[in-house]
Amino acid sequence: MQFVHDTLAQRVRFASGAAAEGLAAEVDDLGARRVMVIAGASEEKLAERITTGLPVAHRHHEVVMHVPVEVAHRARAAAAERDVDALVSVGGGSTTGLAKAVALTTGLPIIAVPTTYAGSEATAVWGMTENSVKTTGSDPKVLPRTIVYDAALTLTLPVELSVASGLNALAHCVDSLWAPRADPINQALAIEGAWALRVGLPLVAAEPDAMEGREKALYGAYLSAAAFASAGSGLHHKICHVLGGMFNLPHAQTHAVVLPYVLAFNAPGVPGAEQRLAAALDAPSASEGLARLRDRLRAPRSLRDLGMPADGIADAAQAVVAAAPAGNPVPVTLDAITDLVRSAWEGTDPR
């Protein structure tokens, strides 16, 4: 056994019902005196509640999916105008992504308070969109210093969005099994994360107001993101970034739709990891386990339903092949990816 594993320097607070206290302690620990709170309109009241008493210099509510560069520029300007010394993000992946865009050019520390299972809070990956192209990169400056996890903050997340966000987290687990820097440590995190999500998400769907499922799902989402942060972006995420940037598709739902097709495509190339994933999903095969889970959760089924045009399949496939990471366990060809994207667009059974 031989590998190189990077562990990111980050603090994690996990306690249900304790977001305000944890956040106050972390802001105090930073010594911050002029905080910029980033939260979209849907999280505005929640953010105000858990940041009461903090030295808030500015509340920023312009949060847009896929972080358009012009939105990032306005957030950076707002931070500079108020001379802020720390960022607090309260929300899902788009909110965390905007905080990262500000930190990328300013170096300001981020305290992330997630309200979904997006996982961006645990990675040093940033992404922004310009002219229908989503560009991503990795920089230590954008890794939040601390994550404050409070499963109670996810109680208002509707079941449909909880399912999509949770399957996005599961996609982090699956991609981490074959991504460019996959190693035994991040694979172990990914397998445990997949188990937690397999157990937690059906509980969330069945009892949305119960804490057990929400906590399990949030725990799994963190493990999935920690694995992904180390392993890097595999084929699944390259496909979803292309589709999201090109057609402005909803992020979590796109991941939920595409995942079974990429799993079926890559599983033959990683039989050992596939069997470990199958065990975590409590099924004879990983694809069967994922199919059972998606059926229980009534997951989104097709890219067509998300608004992707049929005439975009060919262009998307070409862009995916150009962006595909080296070392994918199965050869990435234009014909194969075209078939994969077309199947995901139609919502037919993965082959």
Side-chain angles (χ1 to χ4, degrees):
M1 184 180 291
Q2 184 174 351
F3 60 88
V4 175
H5 177 81
D6 289 320
T7 299
L8 301 181
Q10 184 178 64
R11 189 173 191 191
V12 176
R13 282 181 174 265
F14 197 112
S16 296
E21 295 87 342
L23 186 52
E26 293 304 317
V27 169
D28 185 63
D29 190 58
L30 275 179
R33 294 292 177 265
R34 297 186 59 79
V35 174
M36 176 170 168
V37 177
I38 300 176
S42 59
E43 286 88 15
E44 183 176 351
K45 291 182 179 178
L46 184 154
E48 288 181 3
R49 175 167 58 82
I50 65 173
T51 58
T52 297
L54 297 185
V56 178
H58 177 57
R59 296 184 182 275
H60 194 84
H61 301 304
E62 188 190 15
V63 175
V64 181
M65 187 172 60
H66 302 303
V67 194
V69 291
E70 60 272 16
V71 172
H73 291 328
R74 287 193 286 271
R76 291 165 176 168
E81 289 168 8
R82 276 79 172 187
D83 192 28
V84 305
D85 57 5
L87 306 169
V88 170
S89 64
V90 182
S94 298
T95 307
T96 308
L98 182 58
K100 286 180 171 184
V102 176
L104 183 64
T105 56
T106 64
L108 290 170
I110 303 171
I111 302 172
V113 187
T115 60
T116 72
Y117 310 123
S120 177
E121 67 277 359
T123 80
V125 176
W126 56 267
M128 286 182 280
T129 303
E130 185 174 20
N131 298 324
S132 298
V133 176
K134 187 168 186 177
T135 301
T136 62
S138 182
D139 193 304
K141 291 197 297 290
V142 310
L143 177 72
R145 299 283 185 91
T146 302
I147 309 169
V148 177
Y149 282 121
D150 181 347
L153 302 184
T154 70
L155 289 172
T156 58
L157 188 67
V159 168
E160 183 179 344
L161 290 179
S162 296
V163 165
S165 184
L167 289 173
N168 179 19
L170 185 57
H172 290 132
C173 296
V174 175
D175 230 12
S176 296
L177 300 178
W178 55 60
R181 299 189 302 278
D183 65 47
I185 295 176
N186 49 51
Q187 287 180 341
L189 294 173
I191 295 300
E192 172 73 1
W195 169 82
L197 290 161
R198 191 262 299 171
V199 173
L201 289 176
L203 292 175
V204 171
E207 298 182 72
D209 297 331
M211 290 303 299
E212 182 184 359
R214 297 285 183 175
E215 287 186 340
K216 274 249 180 356
L218 198 58
Y219 165 67
Y222 168 69
L223 292 176
S224 75
F228 179 71
S230 174
S233 185
L235 178 64
H236 171 87
H237 280 77
K238 295 300 184 184
I239 292 172
C240 291
H241 286 161
V242 166
L243 296 175
M246 223 177 239
F247 308 112
N248 197 35
L249 303 183
H251 182 80
Q253 290 88 337
T254 301
H255 282 271
V257 168
V258 170
L259 178 57
Y261 300 95
V262 183
L263 176 57
F265 180 72
N266 270 345
V270 284
E274 188 275 337
Q275 280 302 296
R276 293 176 68 195
L277 180 61
L281 297 177
D282 192 28
S285 73
S287 287
E288 184 175 339
L290 178 59
R292 290 178 184 175
L293 180 62
R294 285 168 50 81
D295 285 343
R296 290 182 69 185
L297 298 176
R298 298 181 181 177
R301 293 288 171 181
S302 74
L303 296 173
R304 171 170 48 194
D305 292 343
L306 301 183
M308 178 180 167
D311 60 8
I313 293 173
D315 289 343
Q318 289 182 337
V320 168
V321 171
N328 191 68
V330 174
V332 176
T333 66
L334 181 58
D335 286 346
I337 296 302
T338 300
D339 286 345
L340 188 157
V341 175
R342 181 178 292 109
S343 295
W345 184 83
E346 294 172 346
T348 55
D349 290 338
R351 295 190 293 271

